[in-house]
Amino acid sequence: MKKREKSEVIIRLRDVHKIYKMGQARVHALDHLTLDIKKGEFVAIMGPSGSGKSTAMNLVGSLDVPTYGKIFLDNNDISKLHESDLAQIRGKKIGFIFQSFNLIPNLTAKENIMLPMLFQGVSFEEREKKAESLLKLVELQDRMDHYPNQLSGGQQQRVAIARSLANDPEVILADEPTGNLDTKTGDIVMKFLDELHKKGRTIIMVTHSPELAQKHAEIVYWIRDGQLEKVTRRK
Amino acid sequence: MKLEYFGIALKNLRRRGVRSWLTLLGIVIGITAVVALVSLGDGLKTAVNSQFQVSSTELITVQAGGLTGFGPPGSGVVKPLTKEDVLAIGKISSVEAAIGRNIETLKMEFNNKLNIGYAVSNPEGENGKRIYSYLDLSAAQGRLIGDGDNNKILIGNDMGDGTKNGFGKDIHVGDKISINGKDFRVAGILAKKGSFTIDRAVIIMEQPLRDLTNNTDEVDVIAVKVKSKDLMEIAKTEIEKLLRERRNVKMGQEDFQVSTPQAMLSNVNQILTGIQIFIALIASISILVGAVGIVNTMTTSVMERFKEIGIMKAIGAKNSDIFFQFFFEAGLLGLIGGVIGILLGLGIAFVGVDALNQFIGGNTPHQLSVFLVSFALFGSFFIGSVSGIAPALKAASLNPVEALRK
Ligand SMILES: Nc1ncnc2c1ncn2[C@@H]1O[C@H](COP(=O)(O)OP(=O)(O)OP(=O)(O)O)[C@@H](O)[C@H]1O
Ligand SMILES: [Mg+2]
């Protein structure tokens, strides 16, 4: 990935609302959310449970569209797109890392990493080559043909990191990536995220841990009741 | 490109439980029935039809008794036909000759083995020779029998074969066979006809056969030779009219049967077609049940894999990518059912053709229709994938966020 100007904005949220209808009740998961995320930034999102962090991640990751408001990814408005276009965009530009790893259980580590490239029409040989080099990156080249249930939680999360990189995305979205891991294993996972950040990737991470946010993120967005409460920057 | 999803579909099939394989039973049974039916049905028709080819097309058969006419001739006879009936039929203007024949099951002993076999009478005089020519019989070994051959017999080709005749030993011209306690010498062996009624028969002159069975007047079958083919129907009507008068029965209540070979053949073919339709019906029902089963198991696995679908969408799977995975998986399920069904069906047909050749005689070959097999393969994949359309659409249209929350 080529080095970019830090000031370039890659994600722009403008007055974003997300309202879930549950029968008669309406849940205002996001409310007037406006924020910019610059290319190459390591962003942490913090806030109480139910404050709308995951909802925001899903919108940024083009898994969903806002009820009102606009979202720009790389200066393209993605707030009104249809599912097939969204799928294409998220496949190319976004890498997801989940709290519960979310590997496909009946595919090996390598096959899991190859899968995002399959959806982008990459040839088998190229997929295999890329997957192997990514496994090397997360230091799991000797676990290539293991199935997820044959890997520890930390190893699974490293495979998930490798998978998120398969299509060289601009942005890595990590929703509580260490939430299911002990501190030591979590640190190893964070080490890899730090490395990606150093190589210039934009990383947005949801976390409940102030220390983690303090240690790794350059900027922290605090969310409460679907609204931006405050922004803190590392000195 | 979409073909790559075959690989994923295959992987997904491998982790399926016994339950989803059981739902394939319908497809298996259906395809088995279709394959067995088609392979066997044609063989059966060929075999049966060849049984009738041996009877000359201008021969009408007259029998007493039942309406079905498919039991062994003469069985269940209430009022037998007689020599006088034969004479009377012979006088009808469209008839060239009427020949009475008797068919008896008798105890036969050879090689110290006792078997039940059946013997057919050959009339004395001119009619005896006529029968040979009508049925186009000739001796492969020895000679045909005629007047004066009262302690001679003529045997069908299979009767001479030790592997087929039940005596465990070949019978040769000149051998002695004891029939109902009386010794007969084999004068000849008939050429192979491919029809068990002839290949398995023992032919005895009429009088000695009557003596063996204490039968003076009764006749089991009357073979009627018509003067020309165009007169078949007329002759049939006249014979029926005559016998109604002689036996004193009304139209529609005949206790006898006058059948032309064409009518018999079409009767048998009708029954065979009926059986085929019946099995085809069973096959379609089981295939339908199988299709419903596939819809069911696919719907279940879509539910079970909600999360996976969400993950795939999160890493860039388009709706069509998800659709084809499930579509192919359903198709492969059907295909697997089809392959099992084809193997079973061919197995049944193989055994069936053997049994057919054993019991009816003749030598219907084992056939493997490439067309049938590819049709069944394609058909089972088609049934599976069509059954998978609705579940696959459901999977494809899942909202990724919802799916991930499961
Ligand atoms: N699909 C949905 N349908 C209805 N309500 C939803 C849905 N998704 C989220 N919500 C609601 O929206 C609000 C925000 O949820 P969200 O998952 O974004 O919270 P969060 O900040 O990620 O919480 P946590 O820290 O527990 O993960 C919650 O009140 C939640 O119940
Ligand atoms: Mg959350």
Side-chain angles (χ1 to χ4, degrees):
Chain A
M1 211 179 153
K2 63 178 188 254
K3 203 80 181 158
R4 310 223 185 168
E5 287 284 314
K6 272 247 170 164
S7 58
E8 215 177 313
V9 172
I10 185 158
I11 293 157
R12 213 185 285 274
L13 270 68
R14 286 293 173 270
D15 204 18
V16 167
H17 291 247
K18 184 69 191 181
I19 300 164
Y20 290 109
K21 288 200 186 79
M22 307 269 289
Q24 288 297 327
R26 286 151 58 93
V27 180
H28 224 119
L30 290 179
D31 192 4
H32 288 290
L33 189 64
T34 294
L35 55 82
D36 286 350
I37 290 171
K38 298 202 181 76
K39 234 163 219 170
E41 267 183 339
F42 196 134
V43 177
I45 297 179
M46 299 201 61
S49 187
S51 56
K53 304 183 294 295
S54 295
T55 305
M57 292 287 260
N58 290 341
L59 293 182
V60 170
S62 74
L63 272 178
D64 208 351
V65 290
T67 315
Y68 314 110
K70 283 195 183 308
I71 299 175
F72 297 88
L73 178 64
D74 246 357
N75 291 321
N76 297 312
D77 186 356
I78 58 167
S79 40
K80 294 270 178 327
L81 292 181
H82 287 291
E83 171 55 26
S84 54
D85 299 320
L86 288 175
Q88 204 60 36
I89 288 173
R90 82 174 82 100
K92 266 211 260 309
K93 301 201 165 177
I94 309 283
F96 279 96
I97 300 169
F98 303 91
Q99 177 177 354
S100 50
F101 323 134
N102 283 353
L103 299 176
I104 308 282
N106 61 316
L107 297 181
T108 63
K110 186 163 91 181
E111 288 168 339
N112 263 287
I113 299 169
M114 288 167 71
L115 199 55
M117 297 182 263
L118 170 64
F119 298 139
Q120 297 302 320
V122 178
S123 77
F124 181 85
E125 290 74 22
E126 229 174 298
R127 280 181 351 236
E128 200 169 37
K129 219 175 93 200
K130 185 77 185 276
E132 283 167 11
S133 82
L134 286 171
L135 274 165
K136 212 170 278 167
L137 185 76
V138 294
E139 291 163 19
L140 283 174
Q141 58 271 39
D142 52 341
R143 295 286 191 279
M144 205 118 69
D145 299 319
H146 288 225
Y147 285 88
N149 63 4
Q150 299 168 326
L151 296 171
S152 74
Q155 289 169 333
Q156 288 189 50
Q157 196 61 305
R158 277 147 69 194
V159 173
I161 290 175
R163 180 180 66 183
S164 76
L165 296 171
N167 290 321
D168 285 318
E170 313 255 356
V171 182
I172 306 278
L173 298 179
D175 196 341
E176 299 185 48
T178 60
N180 282 8
L181 303 172
D182 61 43
T183 323
K184 211 176 131 230
T185 326
D187 283 345
I188 297 173
V189 166
M190 288 312 298
K191 183 192 87 181
F192 287 111
L193 286 183
D194 273 340
E195 270 171 29
L196 296 179
H197 174 229
K198 278 201 204 92
K199 285 183 197 153
R201 254 177 253 261
T202 312
I203 296 180
I204 307 173
M205 175 179 75
V206 171
T207 180
H208 282 286
S209 153
E211 300 84 53
L212 221 57
Q214 174 64 32
K215 194 173 161 204
H216 300 277
E218 299 160 301
I219 180 164
V220 183
Y221 290 94
W222 299 80
I223 294 182
R224 183 178 291 273
D225 296 333
Q227 294 178 319
L228 190 61
E229 190 188 24
K230 59 177 177 180
V231 185
T232 56
R233 278 167 210 279
R234 193 162 63 188
K235 308 287 150 1
Chain B
M1 200 64 221
K2 300 291 179 213
L3 288 183
E4 301 224 23
Y5 297 124
F6 262 115
I8 296 181
L10 261 177
K11 283 209 142 205
N12 282 329
L13 279 180
R14 271 200 243 142
R15 60 170 160 169
R16 275 175 175 271
V18 181
R19 277 233 319 270
S20 62
W21 295 119
L22 282 180
T23 56
L24 283 187
L25 223 54
I27 301 280
V28 172
I29 294 173
I31 299 289
T32 303
V34 169
V35 171
L37 174 77
V38 175
S39 321
L40 201 54
D42 290 347
L44 197 61
K45 274 194 177 161
T46 322
V48 168
N49 287 350
S50 76
Q51 298 303 308
F52 284 94
Q53 272 167 16
V54 297
S55 25
S56 151
T57 39
E58 286 134 75
L59 277 188
I60 291 180
T61 313
V62 183
Q63 278 173 267
L67 290 163
T68 60
F70 282 108
S75 66
V77 172
V78 187
K79 186 179 172 191
L81 295 164
T82 62
K83 282 181 178 172
E84 288 73 42
D85 291 327
V86 180
L87 288 177
I89 291 171
K91 288 192 182 115
I92 293 175
S93 59
S94 53
V95 169
E96 184 179 296
I99 305 168
R101 303 193 79 188
N102 290 334
I103 299 168
E104 305 286 355
T105 47
L106 302 168
K107 283 178 286 185
M108 302 184 183
E109 197 181 339
F110 178 72
N111 190 29
N112 287 323
K113 282 209 177 81
L114 192 62
N115 275 333
I116 302 292
Y118 77 93
V120 186
S121 68
N122 198 47
E124 279 80 13
E126 204 52 35
N127 280 348
K129 289 176 195 145
R130 282 193 179 121
I131 282 286
Y132 290 137
S133 93
Y134 294 162
L135 297 182
D136 190 24
L137 300 181
S138 59
Q141 293 164 44
R143 57 170 179 85
L144 300 172
I145 56 173
D147 292 355
D149 283 332
N150 284 352
N151 44 23
K152 297 265 167 35
I153 54 172
L154 181 62
I155 61 174
N157 199 283
D158 286 350
M159 278 301 282
D161 184 342
T163 62
K164 292 181 181 165
N165 61 15
F167 293 111
K169 189 179 165 191
D170 287 359
I171 299 175
H172 300 286
V173 173
D175 283 350
K176 213 188 279 175
I177 298 180
S178 157
I179 299 178
N180 273 20
K182 189 173 182 297
D183 281 349
F184 288 86
R185 203 171 281 281
V186 176
I189 298 177
L190 288 170
K192 180 107 181 154
K193 288 300 282 186
S195 154
F196 85 113
T197 47
I198 290 172
D199 289 338
R200 292 231 152 207
V202 168
I203 296 172
I204 306 182
M205 295 310 291
E206 183 173 334
Q207 199 49 53
L209 184 63
R210 285 186 183 282
D211 293 345
L212 277 178
T213 54
N214 293 321
N215 174 0
T216 48
D217 200 36
E218 291 175 12
V219 171
D220 292 326
V221 187
I222 304 173
V224 181
K225 168 80 170 166
V226 178
K227 278 180 178 151
S228 87
K229 244 182 190 165
D230 331 325
L231 295 173
M232 292 289 279
E233 282 308 310
I234 295 171
K236 181 175 187 269
T237 318
E238 283 175 333
I239 295 166
E240 281 169 343
K241 183 161 166 268
L242 176 79
L243 287 179
R244 274 198 297 273
E245 282 163 12
R246 289 181 59 83
R247 296 163 74 87
N248 215 352
V249 291
K250 289 202 197 70
M251 190 114 154
Q253 294 174 347
E254 287 87 349
D255 58 352
F256 61 89
Q257 234 199 340
V258 181
S259 37
T260 58
Q262 289 90 339
M264 280 197 271
L265 194 59
S266 81
N267 255 343
V268 172
N269 279 335
Q270 241 169 26
I271 289 175
L272 289 181
T273 307
I275 294 172
Q276 278 185 321
I277 290 174
F278 177 71
I279 297 179
L281 206 71
I282 291 180
S284 350
I285 291 172
S286 14
I287 286 175
L288 199 72
V289 170
V292 172
I294 290 184
V295 174
N296 226 330
T297 148
M298 287 310 295
T299 307
T300 314
S301 56
V302 169
M303 306 277 220
E304 284 167 359
R305 285 190 241 158
F306 252 50
K307 177 125 197 182
E308 246 171 77
I309 295 165
I311 298 168
M312 295 218 222
K313 288 198 159 188
I315 60 175
K318 292 179 291 301
N319 290 358
S320 61
D321 295 323
I322 304 289
F323 174 84
F324 278 107
Q325 284 180 43
F326 284 90
F327 181 76
F328 285 147
E329 187 173 330
L332 284 176
L333 264 179
L335 188 67
I336 290 169
V339 169
I340 299 172
I342 288 168
L343 292 178
L344 285 177
L346 289 178
I348 290 175
F350 196 89
V351 172
V353 165
D354 274 351
L356 208 66
N357 287 340
Q358 195 71 37
F359 292 124
I360 308 193
N363 35 18
T364 311
H366 294 292
Q367 291 165 326
L368 191 136
S369 155
V370 176
F371 173 76
L372 174 66
V373 169
S374 21
F375 177 79
L377 283 177
F378 178 80
S380 53
F381 181 81
F382 180 77
I383 292 159
S385 52
V386 165
S387 311
I389 286 180
L393 279 177
K394 185 184 156 72
S397 63
L398 281 181
N399 175 302
V401 175
E402 298 285 316
L404 272 170
R405 279 164 65 94
K406 298 290 160 178

